[in-house]
Amino acid sequence: MCELMGMSANVPTDICFSFTGFLHRGGGTGPHRDGWGIAFYEEGGYRDFRDPHPSVHSPIARLICDYPIKSNIVISHIRQANVGQVRLANTHPFVREMWGRPWCYAHNGQLADWQALPHSYYRPVGSTDSEHAFCWLLGELRGAFPDPPEDDAQRHAFWGTLHGLCERLRGLGVFNLLLADGDCLYTYCSTKLAHITRRAPFGRASLSDAELTVNFAEHTTPDDVVSVIATEPLTDNEEWVRMDPGELLVWKGGLIQARFKT
């Protein structure tokens, strides 16, 4: 099954340390050899890198490690193919426009009867259950909210609707989700997601999948807040928090803004 990694921070932050451990799971310490991708929101813009080859051997992945792109929101995915061929069109994360924003999505899991999900505004380019579900999900959100929420009540209504749609998809199988619009990062747990928030006083962290340790106190300020979300914890000397099945977390600036549960 695929693996997910995301980041939410209150200042532009590079993901190099966490990504170094994560990419080893793509054909190195893990069996996820069928492609990988990573997306960055930065200074009002969006860019992503996708590769249908194993991340552990990918020159593009090494570029990401050597080129510290600073971002407030990151979504990354390594694939173990279940539905759809191993090709670029089936490689996460996927992106679509809504409200003039790029919405980025990655999914871990497998769905049954996904072909029955009707499409309205969006169509898939590839042949995966993941992208089909994304097009349905974003179409349902756009139909219910043609314009972006303008106040707290509307935002909570939007988040509640998103949670309900994720619950419907969880009813079709395993649906672990990372979703972002450049403002917030949304994480939904069907079976397996964990997170950690790093803030002052910062300490050392050691990767589980690579021989690398970093002292975050040397690279941060006392005001920095950075949260990392992953299918499995990426470090072996820190205490990660596991999400509950059916739980949706809304992240902004490295902090949880809202929590919805089954």
mmCIF file of all heavy atoms in Angstrom, residues 187-205:
data_model
loop_
_atom_site.group_PDB
_atom_site.id
_atom_site.type_symbol
_atom_site.label_atom_id
_atom_site.label_comp_id
_atom_site.label_asym_id
_atom_site.label_seq_id
_atom_site.Cartn_x
_atom_site.Cartn_y
_atom_site.Cartn_z
ATOM 1 N N THR A 187 -5.928 16.488 6.649
ATOM 2 C CA THR A 187 -5.487 15.102 6.766
ATOM 3 C C THR A 187 -6.644 14.268 7.300
ATOM 4 O O THR A 187 -7.218 14.599 8.340
ATOM 5 C CB THR A 187 -4.263 14.982 7.695
ATOM 6 O OG1 THR A 187 -4.608 15.419 9.025
ATOM 7 C CG2 THR A 187 -3.121 15.847 7.183
ATOM 8 N N TYR A 188 -6.965 13.212 6.583
ATOM 9 C CA TYR A 188 -8.053 12.328 6.999
ATOM 10 C C TYR A 188 -7.500 10.927 7.148
ATOM 11 O O TYR A 188 -6.815 10.407 6.259
ATOM 12 C CB TYR A 188 -9.188 12.334 5.979
ATOM 13 C CG TYR A 188 -10.307 11.363 6.324
ATOM 14 C CD1 TYR A 188 -11.257 11.683 7.286
ATOM 15 C CD2 TYR A 188 -10.368 10.117 5.718
ATOM 16 C CE1 TYR A 188 -12.257 10.791 7.631
ATOM 17 C CE2 TYR A 188 -11.372 9.219 6.043
ATOM 18 C CZ TYR A 188 -12.315 9.556 6.999
ATOM 19 O OH TYR A 188 -13.304 8.661 7.339
ATOM 20 N N CYS A 189 -7.817 10.295 8.280
ATOM 21 C CA CYS A 189 -7.318 8.960 8.589
ATOM 22 C C CYS A 189 -8.427 7.933 8.454
ATOM 23 O O CYS A 189 -9.463 8.028 9.116
ATOM 24 C CB CYS A 189 -6.742 8.925 10.004
ATOM 25 S SG CYS A 189 -6.178 7.275 10.513
ATOM 26 N N SER A 190 -8.184 6.953 7.603
ATOM 27 C CA SER A 190 -9.056 5.788 7.501
ATOM 28 C C SER A 190 -8.494 4.640 8.337
ATOM 29 O O SER A 190 -9.217 3.986 9.089
ATOM 30 C CB SER A 190 -9.182 5.370 6.041
ATOM 31 O OG SER A 190 -9.840 4.142 5.899
ATOM 32 N N THR A 191 -7.187 4.417 8.206
ATOM 33 C CA THR A 191 -6.545 3.326 8.944
ATOM 34 C C THR A 191 -5.248 3.757 9.625
ATOM 35 O O THR A 191 -4.946 3.307 10.728
ATOM 36 C CB THR A 191 -6.219 2.153 8.005
ATOM 37 O OG1 THR A 191 -5.411 2.627 6.909
ATOM 38 C CG2 THR A 191 -7.494 1.514 7.458
ATOM 39 N N LYS A 192 -4.469 4.639 8.954
ATOM 40 C CA LYS A 192 -3.122 4.856 9.469
ATOM 41 C C LYS A 192 -2.573 6.213 9.040
ATOM 42 O O LYS A 192 -2.308 6.456 7.868
ATOM 43 C CB LYS A 192 -2.195 3.745 8.957
ATOM 44 C CG LYS A 192 -0.847 3.672 9.653
ATOM 45 C CD LYS A 192 0.023 2.592 9.027
ATOM 46 C CE LYS A 192 -0.589 1.211 9.189
ATOM 47 N NZ LYS A 192 0.342 0.167 8.655
ATOM 48 N N LEU A 193 -2.421 7.137 9.995
ATOM 49 C CA LEU A 193 -1.697 8.391 9.825
ATOM 50 C C LEU A 193 -1.198 8.824 11.210
ATOM 51 O O LEU A 193 -1.885 8.628 12.210
ATOM 52 C CB LEU A 193 -2.586 9.493 9.246
ATOM 53 C CG LEU A 193 -2.706 9.628 7.722
ATOM 54 C CD1 LEU A 193 -3.668 10.764 7.369
ATOM 55 C CD2 LEU A 193 -1.356 9.856 7.063
ATOM 56 N N ALA A 194 -0.012 9.413 11.243
ATOM 57 C CA ALA A 194 0.553 9.904 12.502
ATOM 58 C C ALA A 194 1.145 11.284 12.268
ATOM 59 O O ALA A 194 1.508 11.644 11.141
ATOM 60 C CB ALA A 194 1.624 8.943 13.018
ATOM 61 N N HIS A 195 1.245 12.080 13.344
ATOM 62 C CA HIS A 195 1.767 13.436 13.190
ATOM 63 C C HIS A 195 2.605 13.837 14.388
ATOM 64 O O HIS A 195 2.486 13.276 15.489
ATOM 65 C CB HIS A 195 0.631 14.444 12.983
ATOM 66 C CG HIS A 195 -0.398 14.476 14.078
ATOM 67 N ND1 HIS A 195 -0.257 15.259 15.202
ATOM 68 C CD2 HIS A 195 -1.581 13.827 14.211
ATOM 69 C CE1 HIS A 195 -1.314 15.095 15.986
ATOM 70 N NE2 HIS A 195 -2.139 14.231 15.413
ATOM 71 N N ILE A 196 3.471 14.813 14.150
ATOM 72 C CA ILE A 196 4.290 15.381 15.212
ATOM 73 C C ILE A 196 4.407 16.878 14.977
ATOM 74 O O ILE A 196 4.503 17.324 13.829
ATOM 75 C CB ILE A 196 5.687 14.730 15.263
ATOM 76 C CG1 ILE A 196 6.463 15.223 16.489
ATOM 77 C CG2 ILE A 196 6.473 14.974 13.981
ATOM 78 C CD1 ILE A 196 7.721 14.425 16.771
ATOM 79 N N THR A 197 4.351 17.670 16.041
ATOM 80 C CA THR A 197 4.519 19.118 15.959
ATOM 81 C C THR A 197 5.787 19.503 16.692
ATOM 82 O O THR A 197 5.959 19.185 17.869
ATOM 83 C CB THR A 197 3.308 19.848 16.565
ATOM 84 O OG1 THR A 197 2.131 19.522 15.811
ATOM 85 C CG2 THR A 197 3.518 21.359 16.532
ATOM 86 N N ARG A 198 6.673 20.175 15.960
ATOM 87 C CA ARG A 198 7.941 20.609 16.542
ATOM 88 C C ARG A 198 7.900 22.114 16.749
ATOM 89 O O ARG A 198 7.596 22.876 15.838
ATOM 90 C CB ARG A 198 9.108 20.230 15.622
ATOM 91 C CG ARG A 198 9.233 18.735 15.372
ATOM 92 C CD ARG A 198 10.465 18.410 14.542
ATOM 93 N NE ARG A 198 10.586 16.969 14.310
ATOM 94 C CZ ARG A 198 10.455 16.384 13.119
ATOM 95 N NH1 ARG A 198 10.207 17.136 12.049
ATOM 96 N NH2 ARG A 198 10.578 15.083 12.992
ATOM 97 N N ARG A 199 8.229 22.524 17.966
ATOM 98 C CA ARG A 199 8.285 23.943 18.318
ATOM 99 C C ARG A 199 9.268 24.094 19.458
ATOM 100 O O ARG A 199 9.748 23.114 20.032
ATOM 101 C CB ARG A 199 6.884 24.455 18.697
ATOM 102 C CG ARG A 199 6.257 23.746 19.882
ATOM 103 C CD ARG A 199 4.756 23.998 19.969
ATOM 104 N NE ARG A 199 4.419 25.407 19.870
ATOM 105 C CZ ARG A 199 3.173 25.871 19.809
ATOM 106 N NH1 ARG A 199 2.152 25.017 19.833
ATOM 107 N NH2 ARG A 199 2.941 27.162 19.731
ATOM 108 N N ALA A 200 9.600 25.352 19.817
ATOM 109 C CA ALA A 200 10.588 25.594 20.866
ATOM 110 C C ALA A 200 10.140 24.980 22.193
ATOM 111 O O ALA A 200 8.943 25.013 22.524
ATOM 112 C CB ALA A 200 10.809 27.094 21.019
ATOM 113 N N PRO A 201 11.055 24.398 22.977
ATOM 114 C CA PRO A 201 12.488 24.248 22.662
ATOM 115 C C PRO A 201 12.733 23.074 21.701
ATOM 116 O O PRO A 201 12.258 21.965 21.937
ATOM 117 C CB PRO A 201 13.110 23.976 24.034
ATOM 118 C CG PRO A 201 12.014 23.296 24.816
ATOM 119 C CD PRO A 201 10.730 23.908 24.330
ATOM 120 N N PHE A 202 13.449 23.336 20.608
ATOM 121 C CA PHE A 202 13.724 22.309 19.613
ATOM 122 C C PHE A 202 14.859 21.398 20.077
ATOM 123 O O PHE A 202 15.753 21.818 20.808
ATOM 124 C CB PHE A 202 14.098 22.963 18.280
ATOM 125 C CG PHE A 202 12.950 23.674 17.615
ATOM 126 C CD1 PHE A 202 12.765 25.043 17.794
ATOM 127 C CD2 PHE A 202 12.057 22.977 16.827
ATOM 128 C CE1 PHE A 202 11.717 25.700 17.166
ATOM 129 C CE2 PHE A 202 10.997 23.625 16.208
ATOM 130 C CZ PHE A 202 10.823 24.988 16.384
ATOM 131 N N GLY A 203 14.808 20.162 19.614
ATOM 132 C CA GLY A 203 15.836 19.199 19.972
ATOM 133 C C GLY A 203 16.317 18.439 18.758
ATOM 134 O O GLY A 203 16.145 18.852 17.614
ATOM 135 N N ARG A 204 16.904 17.268 19.017
ATOM 136 C CA ARG A 204 17.438 16.427 17.949
ATOM 137 C C ARG A 204 16.391 15.417 17.490
ATOM 138 O O ARG A 204 15.556 14.977 18.270
ATOM 139 C CB ARG A 204 18.695 15.690 18.422
ATOM 140 C CG ARG A 204 19.881 16.603 18.694
ATOM 141 C CD ARG A 204 21.101 15.822 19.163
ATOM 142 N NE ARG A 204 22.244 16.687 19.350
ATOM 143 C CZ ARG A 204 23.103 17.004 18.381
ATOM 144 N NH1 ARG A 204 22.940 16.489 17.168
ATOM 145 N NH2 ARG A 204 24.123 17.808 18.615
ATOM 146 N N ALA A 205 16.486 15.047 16.224
ATOM 147 C CA ALA A 205 15.626 14.011 15.661
ATOM 148 C C ALA A 205 16.470 13.095 14.789
ATOM 149 O O ALA A 205 17.362 13.559 14.071
ATOM 150 C CB ALA A 205 14.495 14.633 14.846
#
